[in-house]
Amino acid sequence: MTHLALWFYLCFNYVLSHKLNEVFSWKQLNYDINGVFYRKNENYERRPDGVYFDDELEERDKFFLQYNNVPIGFEYDGHRVFVTVPRRRHGIPSTLNYVLLGDKSPSLHPYAAGTKLVSVYRPRIDVCQRLWMVDTGLLEVPGERQQVQKPSIVIFDLKTDKQILKHELKDSDLFNERTSGGLTSITVDVNKSKCNEAFAYITDLATNGIIVFSLSAKTTWRIEDPSFVFDKTALNFTVAGHTISWPDGIFSLALVDLNGRRMAYYHPLMSTNEYMIDTGYLKNNSFQGNNKLLGNRGPKTQSGSHAYHEKSKTIFYANVANDAILCWNVEKKMAPENVAIAVQDHEKLVYISDLKVIGDEVWVLVNQIPRFVFSTLDTKEPNYFIHRSQVKDLIRGTVCDRK
Protein backbone atom coordinates (compact mmCIF):
# COMPACT_ATOMS: atom_id res chain seq x y z
CA MET A 1 0.00 0.00 0.00
CA THR A 2 1.43 3.40 -1.00
CA HIS A 3 1.71 6.22 1.55
CA LEU A 4 -1.11 8.10 -0.19
CA ALA A 5 -3.36 5.02 -0.22
CA LEU A 6 -2.58 4.40 3.44
CA TRP A 7 -3.44 8.01 4.26
CA PHE A 8 -6.81 7.75 2.50
CA TYR A 9 -7.48 4.41 4.24
CA LEU A 10 -6.74 5.87 7.68
CA CYS A 11 -8.81 8.98 7.00
CA PHE A 12 -11.75 6.90 5.75
CA ASN A 13 -11.71 4.71 8.85
CA TYR A 14 -11.31 7.74 11.12
CA VAL A 15 -14.45 9.30 9.63
CA LEU A 16 -16.35 6.02 9.93
CA SER A 17 -15.40 5.34 13.54
CA HIS A 18 -16.20 8.90 14.65
CA LYS A 19 -19.84 8.42 13.78
CA LEU A 20 -20.08 6.45 17.05
CA ASN A 21 -21.16 8.10 20.30
CA GLU A 22 -20.30 5.98 23.32
CA VAL A 23 -23.12 5.61 25.85
CA PHE A 24 -21.52 3.01 28.14
CA SER A 25 -18.33 0.98 28.31
CA TRP A 26 -17.40 -1.67 30.85
CA LYS A 27 -14.18 -3.53 31.49
CA GLN A 28 -16.29 -6.05 33.42
CA LEU A 29 -19.87 -5.96 34.62
CA ASN A 30 -20.75 -5.40 38.25
CA TYR A 31 -24.05 -5.25 40.13
CA ASP A 32 -25.80 -3.15 42.74
CA ILE A 33 -28.35 -5.46 44.34
CA ASN A 34 -30.29 -3.66 47.06
CA GLY A 35 -27.21 -1.66 47.97
CA VAL A 36 -24.87 -4.69 48.01
CA PHE A 37 -22.16 -4.24 45.37
CA TYR A 38 -20.92 -7.28 43.48
CA ARG A 39 -17.60 -6.25 41.98
CA LYS A 40 -14.88 -8.83 42.57
CA ASN A 41 -14.99 -12.60 42.37
CA GLU A 42 -12.87 -13.12 45.46
CA ASN A 43 -15.34 -11.30 47.72
CA TYR A 44 -18.12 -13.84 47.19
CA GLU A 45 -18.26 -17.56 47.74
CA ARG A 46 -19.37 -19.70 44.83
CA ARG A 47 -21.94 -22.17 46.09
CA PRO A 48 -21.82 -25.63 44.44
CA ASP A 49 -25.50 -26.40 44.92
CA GLY A 50 -27.20 -24.27 42.31
CA VAL A 51 -27.85 -20.93 40.65
CA TYR A 52 -29.86 -18.38 42.61
CA PHE A 53 -32.36 -16.07 41.04
CA ASP A 54 -33.51 -12.49 41.33
CA ASP A 55 -35.82 -12.93 44.31
CA GLU A 56 -33.15 -14.58 46.50
CA LEU A 57 -30.99 -11.57 47.14
CA GLU A 58 -29.31 -12.52 50.43
CA GLU A 59 -25.56 -12.47 49.99
CA ARG A 60 -25.08 -15.83 51.67
CA ASP A 61 -27.32 -17.51 49.08
CA LYS A 62 -25.64 -16.17 45.93
CA PHE A 63 -22.44 -16.51 44.01
CA PHE A 64 -20.85 -14.11 41.54
CA LEU A 65 -18.09 -14.74 39.02
CA GLN A 66 -17.48 -11.39 37.43
CA TYR A 67 -15.64 -12.58 34.32
CA ASN A 68 -18.55 -14.85 33.34
CA ASN A 69 -21.03 -11.95 33.09
CA VAL A 70 -21.28 -11.05 29.40
CA PRO A 71 -24.04 -8.70 28.14
CA ILE A 72 -25.95 -9.91 25.08
CA GLY A 73 -29.06 -7.76 24.56
CA PHE A 74 -30.48 -4.37 25.49
CA GLU A 75 -33.43 -1.99 25.19
CA TYR A 76 -34.06 1.68 26.01
CA ASP A 77 -37.30 3.11 27.35
CA GLY A 78 -36.33 6.78 27.45
CA HIS A 79 -34.72 6.85 30.86
CA ARG A 80 -33.52 3.29 31.54
CA VAL A 81 -31.33 1.03 29.46
CA PHE A 82 -32.15 -2.63 30.01
CA VAL A 83 -29.17 -4.97 29.77
CA THR A 84 -29.47 -8.75 29.66
CA VAL A 85 -26.89 -11.30 30.78
CA PRO A 86 -27.97 -14.82 29.71
CA ARG A 87 -26.93 -17.61 32.04
CA ARG A 88 -24.34 -19.28 29.83
CA ARG A 89 -21.86 -19.77 32.67
CA HIS A 90 -21.89 -20.04 36.46
CA GLY A 91 -21.88 -16.91 38.58
CA ILE A 92 -24.55 -14.69 36.99
CA PRO A 93 -26.72 -13.13 39.69
CA SER A 94 -29.35 -11.52 37.45
CA THR A 95 -30.28 -12.05 33.80
CA LEU A 96 -32.49 -8.95 33.29
CA ASN A 97 -31.12 -5.63 34.52
CA TYR A 98 -31.24 -1.89 33.99
CA VAL A 99 -28.92 1.08 34.21
CA LEU A 100 -29.49 4.83 34.00
CA LEU A 101 -27.87 7.24 31.58
CA GLY A 102 -25.06 9.30 33.04
CA ASP A 103 -22.36 7.12 34.52
CA LYS A 104 -20.23 5.65 31.72
CA SER A 105 -19.65 2.33 33.55
CA PRO A 106 -22.66 1.90 35.83
CA SER A 107 -23.47 -1.04 38.06
CA LEU A 108 -26.36 -3.19 36.84
CA HIS A 109 -29.56 -3.20 38.88
CA PRO A 110 -31.76 -6.32 38.69
CA TYR A 111 -35.15 -5.58 37.12
CA ALA A 112 -38.36 -7.12 38.42
CA ALA A 113 -36.95 -8.79 41.53
CA GLY A 114 -39.23 -11.60 42.60
CA THR A 115 -39.68 -12.84 39.03
CA LYS A 116 -37.88 -16.10 38.39
CA LEU A 117 -36.27 -15.40 35.05
CA VAL A 118 -33.69 -18.00 34.10
CA SER A 119 -32.00 -16.67 30.95
CA VAL A 120 -32.99 -13.74 28.72
CA TYR A 121 -31.25 -12.59 25.52
CA ARG A 122 -32.70 -9.71 23.47
CA PRO A 123 -35.78 -7.96 24.91
CA ARG A 124 -37.94 -5.56 22.92
CA ILE A 125 -40.23 -2.67 23.87
CA ASP A 126 -43.42 -2.19 21.87
CA VAL A 127 -45.39 0.98 21.12
CA CYS A 128 -47.72 0.16 24.01
CA GLN A 129 -44.90 0.54 26.55
CA ARG A 130 -44.52 -3.15 27.25
CA LEU A 131 -41.21 -4.98 27.59
CA TRP A 132 -41.26 -8.35 25.81
CA MET A 133 -38.71 -11.15 26.04
CA VAL A 134 -38.21 -14.87 25.79
CA ASP A 135 -36.99 -16.62 28.91
CA THR A 136 -35.25 -19.67 27.48
CA GLY A 137 -35.51 -21.44 30.85
CA LEU A 138 -32.09 -22.92 30.10
CA LEU A 139 -28.85 -22.84 32.05
CA GLU A 140 -26.27 -23.10 29.26
CA VAL A 141 -23.19 -23.90 31.32
CA PRO A 142 -21.02 -26.10 29.06
CA GLY A 143 -21.21 -29.70 30.18
CA GLU A 144 -23.95 -28.87 32.68
CA ARG A 145 -26.87 -27.75 30.50
CA GLN A 146 -30.08 -27.82 32.50
CA GLN A 147 -33.60 -26.97 31.37
CA VAL A 148 -34.83 -25.39 34.61
CA GLN A 149 -38.27 -24.54 33.26
CA LYS A 150 -40.04 -24.47 29.91
CA PRO A 151 -39.23 -21.58 27.55
CA SER A 152 -41.79 -18.81 27.92
CA ILE A 153 -42.79 -15.41 26.60
CA VAL A 154 -42.70 -12.82 29.37
CA ILE A 155 -44.16 -9.30 29.20
CA PHE A 156 -43.76 -6.43 31.67
CA ASP A 157 -45.83 -3.24 31.80
CA LEU A 158 -43.25 -0.46 31.89
CA LYS A 159 -45.73 1.96 33.44
CA THR A 160 -45.94 -0.20 36.57
CA ASP A 161 -42.89 -2.47 36.18
CA LYS A 162 -45.16 -5.43 36.85
CA GLN A 163 -45.19 -8.70 34.94
CA ILE A 164 -48.45 -8.91 33.00
CA LEU A 165 -47.92 -12.16 31.11
CA LYS A 166 -45.94 -15.37 31.23
CA HIS A 167 -46.87 -17.79 28.46
CA GLU A 168 -45.10 -21.13 28.26
CA LEU A 169 -44.27 -22.43 24.80
CA LYS A 170 -45.87 -25.67 23.71
CA ASP A 171 -43.98 -28.90 23.09
CA SER A 172 -44.90 -28.56 19.41
CA ASP A 173 -43.03 -25.22 19.29
CA LEU A 174 -39.77 -26.93 20.25
CA PHE A 175 -38.05 -28.99 17.56
CA ASN A 176 -35.76 -30.79 20.00
CA GLU A 177 -33.75 -30.23 23.19
CA ARG A 178 -31.50 -27.74 21.37
CA THR A 179 -34.33 -25.37 20.46
CA SER A 180 -34.59 -23.45 23.72
CA GLY A 181 -30.98 -22.30 23.43
CA GLY A 182 -31.77 -20.78 20.03
CA LEU A 183 -34.67 -18.58 21.16
CA THR A 184 -32.54 -15.47 21.40
CA SER A 185 -34.55 -12.77 19.57
CA ILE A 186 -38.15 -11.55 19.59
CA THR A 187 -39.90 -9.07 17.29
CA VAL A 188 -43.22 -7.48 18.32
CA ASP A 189 -45.80 -6.62 15.65
CA VAL A 190 -48.52 -4.31 17.00
CA ASN A 191 -50.39 -1.09 16.30
CA LYS A 192 -50.73 1.39 19.16
CA SER A 193 -54.51 1.50 18.73
CA LYS A 194 -54.80 -2.28 19.06
CA CYS A 195 -52.41 -3.22 21.86
CA ASN A 196 -54.29 -6.40 22.72
CA GLU A 197 -53.98 -7.72 19.16
CA ALA A 198 -50.19 -7.94 19.15
CA PHE A 199 -48.18 -10.72 17.55
CA ALA A 200 -44.65 -11.71 18.43
CA TYR A 201 -42.17 -13.55 16.21
CA ILE A 202 -39.46 -15.54 18.00
CA THR A 203 -36.54 -16.68 15.89
CA ASP A 204 -34.97 -20.06 16.61
CA LEU A 205 -31.41 -19.93 15.33
CA ALA A 206 -30.51 -23.36 16.73
CA THR A 207 -33.14 -25.52 15.00
CA ASN A 208 -34.23 -23.14 12.23
CA GLY A 209 -37.75 -21.95 12.92
CA ILE A 210 -40.02 -19.04 13.78
CA ILE A 211 -42.46 -19.33 16.67
CA VAL A 212 -45.45 -17.01 16.25
CA PHE A 213 -47.40 -15.86 19.31
CA SER A 214 -50.87 -14.29 19.23
CA LEU A 215 -51.51 -12.18 22.32
CA SER A 216 -55.27 -12.10 21.84
CA ALA A 217 -55.58 -15.86 21.33
CA LYS A 218 -52.81 -16.70 23.86
CA THR A 219 -51.44 -19.38 21.56
CA THR A 220 -48.34 -20.15 19.50
CA TRP A 221 -47.40 -22.06 16.37
CA ARG A 222 -44.11 -22.99 14.74
CA ILE A 223 -43.09 -22.26 11.14
CA GLU A 224 -40.17 -23.85 9.30
CA ASP A 225 -38.68 -23.11 5.89
CA PRO A 226 -35.40 -23.83 4.05
CA SER A 227 -34.65 -20.09 4.02
CA PHE A 228 -34.24 -20.19 7.81
CA VAL A 229 -31.25 -22.56 7.58
CA PHE A 230 -27.65 -21.34 7.62
CA ASP A 231 -25.67 -21.27 4.36
CA LYS A 232 -22.60 -23.53 4.43
CA THR A 233 -20.78 -21.20 2.06
CA ALA A 234 -21.13 -18.32 4.55
CA LEU A 235 -19.39 -20.13 7.42
CA ASN A 236 -15.84 -19.48 8.58
CA PHE A 237 -15.39 -15.73 8.75
CA THR A 238 -12.88 -14.15 11.12
CA VAL A 239 -13.59 -11.94 14.13
CA ALA A 240 -10.75 -10.62 16.31
CA GLY A 241 -8.46 -13.25 14.85
CA HIS A 242 -10.81 -16.14 15.56
CA THR A 243 -12.62 -18.18 12.91
CA ILE A 244 -16.37 -18.28 13.45
CA SER A 245 -18.16 -21.34 12.12
CA TRP A 246 -21.30 -21.37 14.28
CA PRO A 247 -24.16 -23.00 12.29
CA ASP A 248 -26.68 -20.34 13.34
CA GLY A 249 -29.89 -20.09 11.35
CA ILE A 250 -32.57 -17.38 11.25
CA PHE A 251 -31.55 -14.62 13.61
CA SER A 252 -33.60 -11.48 13.22
CA LEU A 253 -36.75 -9.97 11.69
CA ALA A 254 -37.14 -6.33 10.70
CA LEU A 255 -40.68 -5.04 10.09
CA VAL A 256 -41.22 -2.69 7.16
CA ASP A 257 -44.51 -1.13 6.00
CA LEU A 258 -44.77 -1.19 2.20
CA ASN A 259 -47.85 -0.17 0.22
CA GLY A 260 -50.21 -0.80 3.11
CA ARG A 261 -48.70 -4.19 3.95
CA ARG A 262 -46.33 -5.06 6.78
CA MET A 263 -43.38 -7.07 5.56
CA ALA A 264 -40.81 -9.00 7.60
CA TYR A 265 -37.24 -8.94 6.29
CA TYR A 266 -35.09 -11.75 7.66
CA HIS A 267 -31.86 -13.71 7.32
CA PRO A 268 -29.86 -16.45 9.04
CA LEU A 269 -26.75 -15.29 10.86
CA MET A 270 -24.60 -17.52 8.66
CA SER A 271 -25.84 -16.22 5.34
CA THR A 272 -25.41 -13.17 3.13
CA ASN A 273 -28.90 -13.50 1.61
CA GLU A 274 -31.90 -11.38 2.61
CA TYR A 275 -35.49 -12.65 2.45
CA MET A 276 -38.93 -11.12 2.80
CA ILE A 277 -42.39 -12.35 3.78
CA ASP A 278 -45.73 -10.58 4.24
CA THR A 279 -46.49 -10.84 7.95
CA GLY A 280 -50.03 -11.87 7.08
CA TYR A 281 -48.62 -15.29 6.21
CA LEU A 282 -46.97 -15.48 9.62
CA LYS A 283 -50.20 -14.52 11.38
CA ASN A 284 -52.36 -17.08 9.57
CA ASN A 285 -49.69 -19.81 9.49
CA SER A 286 -49.45 -20.03 5.69
CA PHE A 287 -45.79 -19.19 5.22
CA GLN A 288 -44.66 -21.98 2.90
CA GLY A 289 -43.88 -20.74 -0.60
CA ASN A 290 -44.96 -17.15 0.05
CA ASN A 291 -41.56 -15.78 0.95
CA LYS A 292 -39.14 -14.12 -1.45
CA LEU A 293 -35.37 -14.07 -1.82
CA LEU A 294 -34.55 -10.37 -2.20
CA GLY A 295 -30.90 -10.82 -3.10
CA ASN A 296 -27.42 -11.07 -1.66
CA ARG A 297 -25.67 -8.42 0.43
CA GLY A 298 -22.19 -9.43 -0.73
CA PRO A 299 -19.09 -10.97 0.87
CA LYS A 300 -18.39 -10.50 4.59
CA THR A 301 -21.90 -9.21 5.27
CA GLN A 302 -22.95 -11.90 7.76
CA SER A 303 -25.13 -10.06 10.25
CA GLY A 304 -27.15 -10.68 13.37
CA SER A 305 -29.78 -8.17 14.49
CA HIS A 306 -31.19 -5.69 12.01
CA ALA A 307 -33.81 -2.94 12.25
CA TYR A 308 -35.66 -0.47 10.03
CA HIS A 309 -35.73 3.34 10.09
CA GLU A 310 -38.94 4.53 8.51
CA LYS A 311 -37.98 8.13 7.59
CA SER A 312 -34.89 7.16 5.64
CA LYS A 313 -36.32 3.84 4.34
CA THR A 314 -33.14 2.20 5.57
CA ILE A 315 -32.42 -1.14 7.24
CA PHE A 316 -29.34 -1.24 9.46
CA TYR A 317 -27.44 -4.48 10.06
CA ALA A 318 -25.17 -5.62 12.89
CA ASN A 319 -22.39 -6.80 10.57
CA VAL A 320 -20.46 -9.17 12.83
CA ALA A 321 -18.18 -10.38 10.02
CA ASN A 322 -16.74 -6.91 9.41
CA ASP A 323 -16.92 -5.07 12.78
CA ALA A 324 -19.42 -2.73 11.19
CA ILE A 325 -22.95 -1.43 10.84
CA LEU A 326 -24.28 -1.87 7.33
CA CYS A 327 -27.10 0.07 5.69
CA TRP A 328 -29.45 -0.68 2.82
CA ASN A 329 -32.24 1.50 1.44
CA VAL A 330 -35.23 -0.80 0.85
CA GLU A 331 -36.30 1.26 -2.16
CA LYS A 332 -33.24 -0.04 -3.99
CA LYS A 333 -32.50 -3.52 -5.25
CA MET A 334 -30.84 -5.81 -2.71
CA ALA A 335 -27.37 -6.18 -4.23
CA PRO A 336 -23.80 -5.62 -3.01
CA GLU A 337 -23.53 -2.25 -4.75
CA ASN A 338 -26.51 -0.97 -2.73
CA VAL A 339 -25.25 -2.16 0.67
CA ALA A 340 -22.81 0.19 2.41
CA ILE A 341 -20.63 0.19 5.49
CA ALA A 342 -22.19 2.98 7.56
CA VAL A 343 -19.59 2.77 10.32
CA GLN A 344 -16.71 0.42 11.08
CA ASP A 345 -14.36 0.10 14.05
CA HIS A 346 -12.08 -2.87 14.68
CA GLU A 347 -11.87 -2.06 18.38
CA LYS A 348 -15.25 -0.67 19.43
CA LEU A 349 -17.49 -2.77 17.14
CA VAL A 350 -15.96 -6.21 17.65
CA TYR A 351 -19.08 -8.38 17.55
CA ILE A 352 -22.27 -6.34 17.66
CA SER A 353 -24.56 -8.59 19.68
CA ASP A 354 -27.68 -6.43 19.43
CA LEU A 355 -28.91 -3.49 17.33
CA LYS A 356 -31.93 -1.23 17.67
CA VAL A 357 -33.37 1.74 15.80
CA ILE A 358 -34.65 4.13 18.46
CA GLY A 359 -36.24 7.28 17.06
CA ASP A 360 -33.71 8.72 14.62
CA GLU A 361 -30.78 6.87 16.16
CA VAL A 362 -29.18 3.47 15.80
CA TRP A 363 -28.04 1.87 19.08
CA VAL A 364 -25.77 -1.17 19.33
CA LEU A 365 -24.41 -3.39 22.08
CA VAL A 366 -20.92 -4.82 21.50
CA ASN A 367 -19.55 -7.71 23.57
CA GLN A 368 -16.51 -9.31 21.86
CA ILE A 369 -18.04 -12.77 22.43
CA PRO A 370 -15.54 -14.58 20.14
CA ARG A 371 -12.70 -13.47 22.42
CA PHE A 372 -14.68 -14.65 25.46
CA VAL A 373 -15.40 -18.04 23.87
CA PHE A 374 -12.08 -18.78 22.16
CA SER A 375 -9.45 -16.91 24.17
CA THR A 376 -9.39 -14.42 27.06
CA LEU A 377 -10.73 -10.92 27.47
CA ASP A 378 -8.32 -8.28 28.74
CA THR A 379 -10.10 -7.15 31.90
CA LYS A 380 -7.85 -4.08 32.17
CA GLU A 381 -9.36 -2.66 28.97
CA PRO A 382 -12.99 -1.90 28.00
CA ASN A 383 -14.68 -5.04 26.65
CA TYR A 384 -18.38 -4.17 26.45
CA PHE A 385 -19.91 -1.12 24.81
CA ILE A 386 -23.24 0.48 24.03
CA HIS A 387 -23.03 3.09 21.27
CA ARG A 388 -25.59 5.37 19.65
CA SER A 389 -25.39 7.14 16.28
CA GLN A 390 -27.63 9.51 14.37
CA VAL A 391 -29.18 7.89 11.31
CA LYS A 392 -28.41 10.96 9.20
CA ASP A 393 -24.73 10.70 10.14
CA LEU A 394 -24.58 6.99 9.38
CA ILE A 395 -26.04 7.22 5.89
CA ARG A 396 -24.49 10.55 4.83
CA GLY A 397 -22.28 10.06 1.80
CA THR A 398 -23.34 6.43 1.31
CA VAL A 399 -25.54 4.73 -1.26
CA CYS A 400 -28.20 4.50 1.45
CA ASP A 401 -28.75 8.29 1.47
CA ARG A 402 -31.88 9.25 -0.46
CA LYS A 403 -30.63 12.80 -1.15
Side-chain angles (χ1 to χ4, degrees):
M1 183 180 290
T2 66
H3 290 296
L4 182 61
L6 177 61
W7 183 82
F8 277 113
Y9 174 81
L10 293 174
C11 288
F12 175 73
N13 281 279
Y14 176 85
V15 171
L16 284 183
S17 65
H18 277 68
K19 293 181 179 181
L20 295 175
N21 296 301
E22 186 178 289
V23 182
F24 302 113
S25 67
W26 293 272
K27 296 177 181 178
Q28 292 194 86
L29 298 182
N30 54 78
Y31 293 81
D32 177 353
I33 302 177
N34 285 356
V36 176
F37 289 91
Y38 287 65
R39 289 196 179 102
K40 294 181 181 297
N41 300 340
E42 60 266 23
N43 290 346
Y44 298 92
E45 178 183 1
R46 172 177 164 183
R47 291 271 303 268
D49 54 342
V51 171
Y52 295 84
F53 300 100
D54 304 70
D55 59 338
E56 296 164 323
L57 297 174
E58 295 83 358
E59 179 181 330
R60 67 181 183 274
D61 285 335
K62 296 187 68 71
F63 61 78
F64 172 58
L65 297 176
Q66 187 174 42
Y67 185 84
N68 287 349
N69 285 256
V70 178
I72 297 290
F74 79 102
E75 253 291 7
Y76 177 51
D77 73 347
H79 68 285
R80 294 172 293 190
V81 178
F82 295 93
V83 179
T84 63
V85 186
R87 286 190 164 101
R88 300 168 63 140
R89 296 293 189 275
H90 287 301
I92 297 167
S94 175
T95 188
L96 177 62
N97 312 279
Y98 71 92
V99 295
L100 302 177
L101 297 180
D103 186 350
K104 286 292 185 177
S105 302
S107 298
L108 274 59
H109 298 264
Y111 180 74
T115 306
K116 283 203 171 185
L117 296 172
V118 178
S119 194
V120 174
Y121 277 81
R122 296 174 181 85
R124 289 296 179 256
I125 294 173
D126 70 9
V127 294
C128 304
Q129 283 300 292
R130 298 173 298 197
L131 180 66
W132 295 64
M133 68 205 69
V134 178
D135 181 1
T136 69
L138 177 67
L139 300 182
E140 296 182 73
V141 179
E144 303 178 43
R145 288 169 62 94
Q146 180 185 357
Q147 193 70 49
V148 176
Q149 58 193 33
K150 293 190 70 171
S152 58
I153 299 165
V154 179
I155 308 175
F156 290 92
D157 183 348
L158 291 176
K159 295 185 290 293
T160 63
D161 292 326
K162 301 296 184 183
Q163 180 179 301
I164 56 176
L165 180 89
K166 181 176 182 178
H167 181 88
E168 288 189 351
L169 299 185
K170 298 181 292 191
D171 290 342
S172 57
D173 297 327
L174 310 175
F175 183 79
N176 59 30
E177 70 280 356
R178 294 179 52 244
T179 298
S180 56
L183 305 178
T184 64
S185 299
I186 187 169
T187 301
V188 185
D189 187 354
V190 62
N191 293 317
K192 195 171 185 179
S193 61
K194 298 179 179 179
C195 291
N196 292 329
E197 298 179 16
F199 286 82
Y201 313 126
I202 303 163
T203 53
D204 165 21
L205 63 82
T207 53
N208 308 311
I210 295 176
I211 298 169
V212 182
F213 171 66
S214 167
L215 180 61
S216 61
K218 301 294 190 299
T219 191
T220 52
W221 53 93
R222 181 182 176 89
I223 296 171
E224 296 180 357
D225 188 81
S227 62
F228 300 167
V229 181
F230 71 94
D231 180 356
K232 292 181 180 179
T233 67
L235 292 171
N236 302 322
F237 59 85
T238 301
V239 179
H242 302 284
T243 300
I244 306 300
S245 57
W246 303 328
D248 289 351
I250 183 167
F251 195 97
S252 175
L253 275 75
L255 301 182
V256 178
D257 290 326
L258 290 178
N259 302 319
R261 300 157 63 196
R262 181 158 294 176
M263 315 302 291
Y265 290 67
Y266 67 92
H267 55 260
L269 177 65
M270 293 301 181
S271 173
T272 56
N273 289 329
E274 191 73 20
Y275 300 87
M276 181 179 70
I277 182 74
D278 189 318
T279 58
Y281 297 117
L282 296 174
K283 295 173 183 177
N284 64 17
N285 197 10
S286 59
F287 185 102
Q288 195 68 36
N290 296 305
N291 56 322
K292 178 182 179 181
L293 172 62
L294 294 172
N296 190 284
R297 295 186 298 273
K300 293 192 69 175
T301 59
Q302 292 92 333
S303 301
S305 300
H306 65 327
Y308 178 63
H309 181 249
E310 172 66 31
K311 292 180 185 177
S312 66
K313 306 299 182 186
T314 302
I315 291 179
F316 293 92
Y317 296 84
N319 179 206
V320 295
N322 219 10
D323 302 334
I325 299 172
L326 302 180
C327 64
W328 170 55
N329 188 305
V330 300
E331 295 179 328
K332 298 182 179 181
K333 178 183 177 181
M334 167 51 78
E337 62 269 22
N338 291 325
V339 177
I341 293 178
V343 61
Q344 183 177 49
D345 193 307
H346 296 304
E347 292 182 3
K348 294 186 177 181
L349 291 179
V350 178
Y351 209 87
I352 303 172
S353 178
D354 201 3
L355 177 150
K356 278 280 300 176
V357 169
I358 302 173
D360 291 323
E361 294 182 322
V362 176
W363 289 51
V364 295
L365 182 149
V366 176
N367 66 7
Q368 300 197 82
I369 197 71
R371 286 193 174 120
F372 177 82
V373 172
F374 297 118
S375 61
T376 304
L377 295 172
D378 183 352
T379 59
K380 295 180 181 179
E381 298 293 333
N383 289 299
Y384 313 125
F385 302 92
I386 293 180
H387 305 291
R388 64 199 297 183
S389 300
Q390 290 285 330
V391 167
K392 63 182 180 181
D393 293 335
L394 290 174
I395 65 175
R396 184 183 296 119
T398 74
V399 70
C400 306
D401 199 339
R402 302 170 76 198
K403 294 181 180 179

